Amino acid sequence: MTKPISPPAAARKEHRFSHHGVTVDDPYAWLRDPNYPEVGDAEVLAYLKVENAFFEAAMAPHQPLVETLFAEMRGRIKEADQSVPQKDGDWLYWRSFDEGAQYRKWWRSPATGGDAELILDEPTLAEGKEYFRLGGMDVSPDGRLLAYAVDDNGSERFTIRVKDLASGEQLPDVIEGTLGGFLFAGDGQSLLYGLVNEHWRIDVARLHVLGTPVSDDIELYREADDGFQVGLGLTQSQKWIAIATGDHVTSEVRLLPFDNPRATPILVAERLPGREYDVEEHDGTLFIRTNDTHTNFRLVTAPIDAPSEWTERIAPSADFYLTDVTTFADFFVVEGREHGLDRIYLHEYAGGSGKLIDFPEASYAAGLDDNPEYAVTKLRLSYESMVTPGTVLDYDVATGARTVLKVQEIPSGYDASLYATERLEIAVRDGVKVPVSIVYKRDFAKPGPLYLYGYGAYGLAIEPGFSTSRLSLLDRGMAFAIAHIRGGDDLGQQWYLDGKLEKRANTFNDFIDVARGLVGLGWTQAGRIAIAGGSAGGELMGAVINDAPELWGAVAAHVPFVDVLNTMLDPTLPLTPGEWPEWGNPIEDKAAFELIHGYSPYDNVKPQAYPPLLVTAGLNDPRVTYWEPAKWVAKLRELKTDDNVLLLKTNMGAGHGGKSGRFESLRETAEEFAFILWQLGLAS
């Protein structure tokens, strides 16, 4: 038997910097290639390759388990599958997977009947590429042209191309350097898009006329604030194009006529620090969702010719968190959450209270699905829970009748009656009760092994949805739980505010206290808890293993944001200026510097025993740069006092989301689960 290679040891190279009178040692700073985003430094690449070799050697004995898990997960996917067709104008549109295909095909047929037409073939576009991701796509209003955006290396820098659907020919127009979002204007010959600057931030909205040089494109709007990003959207009425700009706490919207995008933009309301709003439109009236008077948002209206004169339509509520508004021709839909559960209300324009579209389970995820048209009598909805597979249904607005159109099919079989889900509330150290969604097989033996997932940032809620991959853990005797910790907006906007900036520690404490609470309730035991999180959730992983390493039996940290201090001190990095409202600005604010320095996982690694760790990175990742996990792993190897496994896997041809393709990404999940089962003694 070949002896496993030794754990890699990165070279320590003296590097120090000082801010606000504090000197910080950063001995692994050299792992950042000075020519980033190009990564060609021989020493850096050599180190990453050695770490990858160590990962492969350590996982080699468990490859049969990886293959078993992968086969199980793949067996739960209907390989030859298609979405429910949806009408948009004169056409029905849908997408499909062929048997064994990694990527989708996109189709349409005449709404009045006729043959199906393949409009975009992802497998052909992805052929020969290590990575492929489709960004936005849009059909021109007359149905003749298809524009689409592609990223083929994981850097999230998308190239827009245009296809003539009648001939199948590619137009010569090629727009590079976007984030994948764009839309056609009403003339069907103009594309509006946002251009990425050298810091990977969209600071300009432009208009391209097909058949003209990209260098002649017209600048519609330019954002001067480095912390703001520009985005484009279209109202449901398809009358107005929205140019939105903002950061994590402030927004500003301008409107352009869909049929005349060169018109002078209409400013809805000038930016005010801390005020967010977004805009819909119906018959000349703007419907504006805003947090100007309450953290949970309210709905106001304004005439298009006096857009800043707001009249309250739906008052804010401490119980109802208003997350979205969609205006249709004869009614509008309000989405939100009450006590953490999704709610959908139908409202008449004439007034009155909304009509709730209710759902049967106590814990679930539900919302509007694909509804491209303005004048509709039925709404396309989506629904799922931790035990109920994804379901697509039509809801008749007049009668309330529901028609199930598609239920996620699991070819290898699934019996929902074998599983149970609960929603718990666990009191944490400051007395706040944190919701926990948990799913398990009904024969789960308490206390047993448990997988605990968390994120807790950017106001992103983690919904209690369905996962076919998760069944491989449940069927091996594990429970799976989601900690709805502060920093997400699971319980409203205040829940988010209570986990950011100076309150960031609440996120970490909530997660630790939820784990201890699950132990106290008899669900599991310290050391039998596997935890996982990615990106900002990877930062969570780094913080909680520093603070409470004894709780965790295995940890998966995917593209973890762990070098927080260095990143927030570098305004040249892609996201940093726009992230200061989320984390604080340590350059200008001494208190922010001290706070971040106090929890940044990389800066707080210390000599102690750490749990087994699987860490992933993407060489082309523009969100969490590859050197953050690499530096963190190097420092952990230097200081940890245990013999537990520590693995770093860097995808050398991918970015933030890992490998592309539905099966390649599934294999990475199988690797994570194999690692967890191995470390918890459940690998047999």
Side-chain angles (χ1 to χ4, degrees), residues 232-275:
L232 293 164
L234 183 64
T235 62
Q236 186 73 17
S237 65
Q238 298 187 6
K239 293 180 181 177
W240 297 93
I241 297 165
I243 300 177
T245 184
D247 57 12
H248 291 292
V249 298
T250 303
S251 56
E252 185 176 75
V253 178
R254 289 167 173 80
L255 298 175
L256 293 170
F258 181 58
D259 292 329
N260 184 19
R262 302 190 197 202
T264 302
I266 298 171
L267 175 63
V268 175
E270 65 181 14
R271 68 189 68 177
L272 294 176
R275 181 177 71 178

Side-chain angles (χ1 to χ4, degrees), residues 468-530:
T468 56
S469 299
R470 185 190 299 151
L471 296 173
S472 291
L473 297 180
L474 305 185
D475 291 347
R476 286 172 172 78
M478 292 189 72
F480 184 102
I482 301 169
H484 300 283
I485 52 182
R486 284 173 283 186
D489 67 354
D490 306 62
L491 294 187
Q493 188 77 347
Q494 192 61 50
W495 200 249
Y496 162 50
L497 298 176
D498 286 343
K500 65 182 292 191
L501 296 173
E502 71 279 358
K503 298 181 180 180
R504 185 62 183 153
N506 285 338
T507 302
F508 314 139
N509 295 340
D510 285 358
F511 192 83
I512 291 169
D513 292 351
V514 161
R516 288 175 173 154
L518 290 169
V519 171
L521 291 171
W523 283 94
T524 188
Q525 297 169 309
R528 300 197 76 195
I529 306 171

Side-chain angles (χ1 to χ4, degrees), residues 341-601:
L341 292 178
D342 290 340
R343 295 286 189 256
I344 306 171
Y345 287 93
L346 295 181
H347 285 264
E348 301 293 334
Y349 287 112
S353 58
K355 177 184 177 182
L356 175 66
I357 302 176
D358 57 358
F359 296 96
E361 294 181 272
S363 180
Y364 59 86
L368 290 184
D369 197 73
D370 181 28
N371 292 275
E373 294 194 323
Y374 183 52
V376 295
T377 58
K378 295 180 179 179
L379 287 175
R380 184 69 50 86
L381 306 178
S382 62
Y383 176 84
E384 61 185 296
S385 78
M386 294 184 85
V387 297
T388 302
T391 303
V392 178
L393 59 131
D394 272 352
Y395 177 89
D396 189 295
V397 174
T399 67
R402 305 173 196 219
T403 303
V404 174
L405 304 175
K406 182 180 176 67
V407 177
Q408 181 180 358
E409 187 177 332
I410 303 172
S412 61
Y414 172 69
D415 183 352
S417 68
L418 299 178
Y419 305 87
T421 183
E422 296 182 30
R423 188 174 177 89
L424 314 174
E425 286 188 337
I426 293 178
V428 297
R429 65 192 68 181
D430 62 358
V432 170
K433 291 183 178 180
V434 174
V436 180
S437 298
I438 189 166
V439 63
Y440 53 93
K441 206 166 184 182
R442 291 189 182 273
D443 60 3
F444 174 72
K446 296 182 181 180
L450 182 140
Y451 183 116
L452 182 62
Y453 180 81
Y455 186 73
Y458 298 110
L460 295 177
I462 305 300
E463 294 189 322
F466 188 74
S467 165
T468 56
S469 299
R470 185 190 299 151
L471 296 173
S472 291
L473 297 180
L474 305 185
D475 291 347
R476 286 172 172 78
M478 292 189 72
F480 184 102
I482 301 169
H484 300 283
I485 52 182
R486 284 173 283 186
D489 67 354
D490 306 62
L491 294 187
Q493 188 77 347
Q494 192 61 50
W495 200 249
Y496 162 50
L497 298 176
D498 286 343
K500 65 182 292 191
L501 296 173
E502 71 279 358
K503 298 181 180 180
R504 185 62 183 153
N506 285 338
T507 302
F508 314 139
N509 295 340
D510 285 358
F511 192 83
I512 291 169
D513 292 351
V514 161
R516 288 175 173 154
L518 290 169
V519 171
L521 291 171
W523 283 94
T524 188
Q525 297 169 309
R528 300 197 76 195
I529 306 171
I531 59 175
S535 196
E539 177 207 283
L540 171 68
M541 297 299 101
V544 302
I545 66 171
N546 281 337
D547 292 347
E550 73 285 353
L551 285 173
W552 324 118
V555 182
H558 298 294
V559 290
F561 177 41
V562 284
D563 195 12
V564 186
L565 184 63
N566 274 300
T567 295
M568 289 298 102
L569 284 169
D570 188 350
T572 69
L573 287 175
L575 298 179
T576 294
E579 297 289 297
W580 287 328
E582 181 76 19
W583 311 103
N585 183 347
I587 299 173
E588 298 179 356
D589 185 345
K590 181 179 180 182
F593 178 93
E594 293 173 346
L595 177 70
I596 295 171
H597 190 221
Y599 71 73
S600 176

Side-chain angles (χ1 to χ4, degrees), residues 28-90:
Y28 300 105
W30 66 271
L31 284 167
R32 173 179 177 170
D33 191 313
N35 294 317
Y36 178 83
E38 298 296 326
V39 184
D41 184 281
E43 189 176 10
V44 169
L45 290 173
Y47 172 70
L48 297 177
K49 289 175 181 177
V50 169
E51 285 283 5
N52 279 350
F54 182 65
F55 166 83
E56 296 291 344
M59 291 297 294
H62 310 284
Q63 198 59 35
L65 177 58
V66 173
E67 295 302 325
T68 297
L69 290 166
F70 176 72
E72 290 176 8
M73 295 174 186
R74 184 164 180 167
R76 300 188 191 107
I77 293 176
K78 186 179 181 182
E79 295 204 11
D81 198 12
Q82 74 171 48
S83 65
V84 179
Q86 178 62 297
K87 182 176 177 293
D88 187 0
D90 295 332

Side-chain angles (χ1 to χ4, degrees), residues 523-668:
W523 283 94
T524 188
Q525 297 169 309
R528 300 197 76 195
I529 306 171
I531 59 175
S535 196
E539 177 207 283
L540 171 68
M541 297 299 101
V544 302
I545 66 171
N546 281 337
D547 292 347
E550 73 285 353
L551 285 173
W552 324 118
V555 182
H558 298 294
V559 290
F561 177 41
V562 284
D563 195 12
V564 186
L565 184 63
N566 274 300
T567 295
M568 289 298 102
L569 284 169
D570 188 350
T572 69
L573 287 175
L575 298 179
T576 294
E579 297 289 297
W580 287 328
E582 181 76 19
W583 311 103
N585 183 347
I587 299 173
E588 298 179 356
D589 185 345
K590 181 179 180 182
F593 178 93
E594 293 173 346
L595 177 70
I596 295 171
H597 190 221
Y599 71 73
S600 176
Y602 171 70
D603 295 289
N604 287 278
V605 174
K606 54 196 170 190
Q608 65 176 12
Y610 281 91
L613 275 154
L614 168 63
V615 183
T616 65
L619 191 67
N620 299 327
D621 189 346
R623 297 178 183 268
V624 176
T625 49
Y626 75 88
W627 61 80
E628 292 205 31
K631 289 171 61 177
W632 183 47
V633 166
K635 195 169 185 180
L636 282 164
R637 289 202 192 284
E638 175 195 355
L639 294 179
K640 73 189 192 82
T641 60
D642 58 87
D643 294 325
N644 289 326
V645 175
L646 170 57
L647 303 177
L648 171 64
K649 177 187 177 182
T650 302
N651 279 310
M652 305 301 281
H656 198 62
K659 291 185 177 180
S660 61
R662 57 174 175 164
F663 301 132
E664 285 305 308
S665 58
L666 206 61
R667 186 173 294 279
E668 294 192 324

